[in-house]
Amino acid sequence: MNRKHIEDAELELLQQKSFSYFLHETNPNNGLVVDKTATDWPASIAATGFALASYPIAVERGFMSRAAAIERTLTTLRFFWNSPKGLNLIPLATKVFITIFSTCKPAGVPGSANYQL
């Protein structure tokens, strides 16, 4: 076996092991993915988004079936669709942050990162 084949096999194994995180850390009831494997760690929208983006690639590479990818995707999307929405669900600290930064006006040069309240 030449070096190219060995590197390809190692890359394939790394991809499979990386994808297995989503297989093992996704809640089957709502599709949310924990952000890391620590005990009682919460799910995150970023990890869940990465999982959703990885499913089509996993199907293409043979890491999971198309039916399983569809099932996981629909579970996640249905959870978000059926979940309550609105600012009244955002914690107070986040509301304050939104209020402060929605009233900011740019200072100095247009497009500047400097803001004043």
Side-chain angles (χ1 to χ4, degrees):
M1 198 179 247
N2 70 27
R3 184 170 174 86
K4 173 78 168 123
H5 291 293
I6 292 170
E7 288 173 356
D8 288 348
E10 288 173 347
L11 182 58
E12 173 109 7
L13 181 61
L14 176 64
Q15 291 170 349
Q16 275 185 307
K17 288 185 179 229
S18 297
F19 178 71
S20 72
Y21 177 84
F22 298 116
L23 294 178
H24 300 292
E25 301 302 328
T26 300
N27 181 323
N29 298 317
N30 58 25
L32 299 181
V33 181
V34 287
D35 202 41
K36 66 184 206 178
T37 57
T39 304
D40 296 326
W41 202 260
S44 85
I45 192 68
T48 303
F50 279 129
L52 289 171
S54 74
Y55 295 151
I57 298 163
V59 169
E60 183 179 288
R61 297 193 185 278
F63 300 160
M64 71 185 316
S65 71
R66 185 172 188 271
I70 290 169
E71 176 79 22
R72 284 173 173 261
T73 301
L74 288 176
T75 296
T76 307
L77 296 178
R78 286 179 181 132
F79 172 77
F80 286 127
W81 182 262
N82 294 320
S83 293
K85 297 158 192 71
L87 285 178
N88 59 331
L89 300 173
I90 299 175
L92 179 58
T94 306
K95 285 184 183 179
V96 170
F97 180 83
I98 290 170
T99 303
I100 289 170
F101 285 97
S102 67
T103 60
C104 288
K105 296 192 172 37
V109 182
S112 167
N114 300 320
Y115 286 90
Q116 64 185 15
L117 294 175

